Amino acid sequence: MNLELNPDFIKKYFRRGPRYTSYPTAVVWNESFHADDFCLSLKEADKKNEPLSLYIHIPFCHSMCYYCGCNTTITKNQDKAEKYLEHLKEEMRLVCSYLPHRRQVGQLHFGGGTPTFLNNEQFSDIMNGIHSYFQLTESAEVSVEIDPRVTSREQVYHLKNLGFNRISMGVQDFTKKVQEAIHRIQSRECVEELTSAAKECGFQSINFDLIYGLPHQTIENFHDTAKAVCVLRPDRIALFGYAHVPWKKTHQKKIDSSALPSPVERLGLLLHTSNLLQNEGYKSIGMDHFSLEDDELYQASLNRTLHRNFQGYTIKSFETLGFGVSSISFMNNSFSQNERNLSPYYSRIESGNLPVIVGHKLNNDDIIRQYVIEQLMCNFYLSYENFEKKFQIP
């Protein structure tokens, strides 16, 4: 499927809008949803006794990437992770006090920040903590995001030995000028080295993240990045658009906005790279993911059974428990989000309180719209028959 640029189309639709990784979106969550409401959601969800998805947020990074939109803490002090992990484990204990059944876990995802900021001993410690409160199913997806600049071959092997079976690398762009502009210098060689290690030790799935819309990107230089990525043959590729929001993320002010691609150039980057990846044997999944033909994501897309959560497209849909600063849970049709900064997060945990600060309980209209949006953004399809059967309305 080769798409072409249409200037009138671009002019009409080039404007900001929600990404709909959740519905309702996070901007409408509010402080009227308290930790007590989250506790009630936990109790109600526990009655189902179904497998869960766990998200663990590790906020630490050694340096700031100027394009980043994540919740991060910049430090080179490894000891800060020790205190954080102790609070993570205490948060798990507090949450599990409302879950009398030792819940099974079908998905476990470490995100950040930089999860591989943790050293091998710290990773073993937090995984032991998780196993003490939850039971991973035999088929559980256990994934981790890594920064190739701070991750070693030895650590990749250690992660595999701990039970991780999926790995995701932030590649973004190999062009030196682009890397300098976004303050993220990493070589192709280090990505190649870690990809080789992940394949050698038996990771089931390797994902690369690419970002289009960064300063100084052109179709020509991003073409070279995409071709180099295809040579390494990851199982999946996520092609994200850079969101320039310096009024929300002040470090993005260090990016020269005049060096950003224009709307036409930005869409050109997306379409050219999408076509290149498909010509190299990758199948388009949803709106911004690609996978090899034998990947289960592609099979799910053919069957119209794709789902999407905050980590991207997935073949399984579970209720989610998030742990750590800024992490998000979705339990019993309600969203909740933790404190976004370390100090208040620590204070709440130390006082024996859950660190939830905002949330939203979905009403019936929300649930209907959530279902429709997910069907469209995952499968580009909505069955009227299934809709009417599910909601008992025409």
Side-chain angles (χ1 to χ4, degrees):
M1 178 181 67
N2 289 319
L3 303 176
E4 296 180 358
L5 293 172
N6 182 321
D8 292 334
F9 182 89
I10 298 170
K11 183 178 180 180
K12 181 178 180 180
Y13 289 108
F14 189 76
R15 59 192 66 192
R16 301 190 184 281
R19 294 191 177 188
Y20 287 122
T21 45
S22 71
Y23 184 86
T25 58
V27 293
V28 307
W29 305 351
N30 58 75
E31 296 176 357
S32 65
F33 186 98
H34 302 287
D36 290 343
D37 298 305
F38 177 56
C39 295
L40 181 60
S41 295
L42 289 174
K43 291 178 180 178
E44 290 298 315
D46 194 55
K47 296 175 182 177
K48 306 170 191 174
N49 199 23
E50 297 172 348
L52 296 171
S53 174
L54 300 186
Y55 173 74
I56 312 296
H57 188 78
I58 306 298
F60 304 109
C61 293
H62 287 163
S63 64
M64 176 63 75
C65 301
Y66 296 159
Y67 63 85
C68 183
C70 300
N71 184 284
T72 60
T73 297
I74 307 304
T75 180
K76 293 185 182 295
N77 184 353
Q78 198 70 36
D79 292 340
K80 288 193 174 184
E82 296 290 340
K83 181 178 180 179
Y84 185 71
L85 294 181
E86 290 306 310
H87 285 77
L88 266 181
K89 289 182 287 186
E90 178 61 13
E91 184 187 359
M92 290 180 195
R93 188 193 69 79
L94 291 170
V95 166
C96 288
S97 68
Y98 297 94
L99 300 172
H101 303 97
R102 187 164 183 263
R103 298 295 294 272
Q104 290 192 320
V105 172
Q107 289 176 334
L108 170 60
H109 184 83
F110 275 71
T114 304
T116 46
F117 178 92
L118 304 181
N119 61 35
N120 289 349
E121 292 75 19
Q122 291 166 339
F123 252 117
S124 296
D125 177 49
I126 189 58
M127 286 299 286
N128 287 336
I130 291 169
H131 286 298
S132 67
Y133 293 109
F134 301 95
Q135 180 179 354
L136 271 65
T137 64
E138 288 188 10
S139 61
E141 299 175 1
V142 187
S143 59
V144 59
E145 300 170 10
I146 72 169
D147 181 344
R149 299 172 300 170
V150 300
T151 308
S152 66
R153 171 179 282 268
E154 177 193 14
Q155 188 171 35
V156 170
Y157 272 81
H158 184 71
L159 291 170
K160 184 64 174 62
N161 290 335
L162 288 177
F164 287 89
N165 51 36
R166 296 170 182 269
I167 199 165
S168 181
M169 299 188 207
V171 173
Q172 323 315 359
D173 194 312
F174 283 133
T175 307
K176 186 176 180 181
K177 188 175 183 179
V178 175
Q179 291 184 352
E180 290 172 346
I182 61 176
H183 198 236
R184 186 186 176 98
I185 307 296
Q186 65 184 32
S187 67
R188 298 187 190 190
E189 288 73 23
C190 74
V191 174
E192 291 172 0
E193 174 75 6
L194 296 179
T195 302
S196 172
K199 291 181 178 181
E200 285 173 8
C201 66
F203 273 85
Q204 294 176 13
S205 180
I206 301 171
N207 175 79
F208 284 0
D209 287 347
L210 299 178
I211 297 180
Y212 68 92
L214 294 173
H216 304 297
Q217 276 183 335
T218 64
I219 286 179
E220 290 73 24
N221 62 34
F222 200 50
H223 173 98
D224 292 342
T225 290
K227 288 287 285 187
V229 162
C230 290
V231 170
L232 296 178
R233 218 62 183 167
D235 302 280
R236 299 175 181 177
I237 298 170
L239 180 61
F240 297 124
Y242 168 57
H244 190 59
V245 287
W247 57 92
K248 291 179 66 176
K249 299 292 182 179
T250 55
H251 55 267
Q252 291 188 354
K253 292 179 180 178
K254 295 183 178 181
I255 288 180
D256 179 5
S257 59
S258 67
L260 294 173
S262 69
V264 173
E265 292 169 334
R266 180 184 171 95
L267 188 56
L269 284 163
L270 169 61
L271 297 184
H272 178 85
T273 308
S274 174
N275 292 334
L276 184 155
L277 294 177
Q278 291 177 84
N279 290 336
E280 291 286 341
Y282 285 90
K283 299 296 183 180
S284 179
I285 307 293
M287 299 190 299
D288 49 20
H289 282 48
F290 299 82
S291 77
L292 297 176
E293 189 168 2
D294 59 355
D295 190 279
E296 58 190 1
L297 269 189
Y298 178 61
Q299 302 306 316
S301 72
L302 293 179
N303 298 328
R304 292 172 173 163
T305 56
L306 268 182
H307 299 277
R308 181 146 187 160
N309 57 28
F310 288 99
Q311 283 71 59
Y313 286 100
T314 176
I315 66 168
K316 301 173 183 176
S317 179
F318 299 113
E319 290 190 306
T320 300
L321 276 178
F323 294 99
V325 288
S326 77
S327 65
I328 294 170
S329 298
F330 182 68
M331 300 292 287
N332 197 43
N333 285 322
S334 66
F335 289 104
S336 56
Q337 185 172 28
N338 282 354
E339 288 277 6
R340 299 181 182 90
N341 297 305
L342 285 174
S343 181
Y345 171 76
Y346 289 156
S347 295
R348 285 189 178 239
I349 297 294
E350 290 166 5
S351 63
N353 296 313
L354 292 173
V356 171
I357 54 168
V358 295
H360 180 83
K361 175 67 176 177
L362 277 67
N363 59 33
N364 194 53
D365 184 74
D366 291 334
I367 293 169
I368 292 171
R369 293 174 186 271
Q370 181 190 60
Y371 172 81
V372 171
I373 288 171
E374 184 182 45
Q375 290 299 307
L376 295 177
M377 73 189 301
C378 292
N379 304 305
F380 303 123
Y381 173 83
L382 178 67
S383 164
Y384 287 6
E385 180 182 358
N386 291 346
F387 175 90
E388 292 172 355
K389 189 179 298 182
K390 182 177 181 68
F391 297 108
Q392 295 298 300
I393 57 174

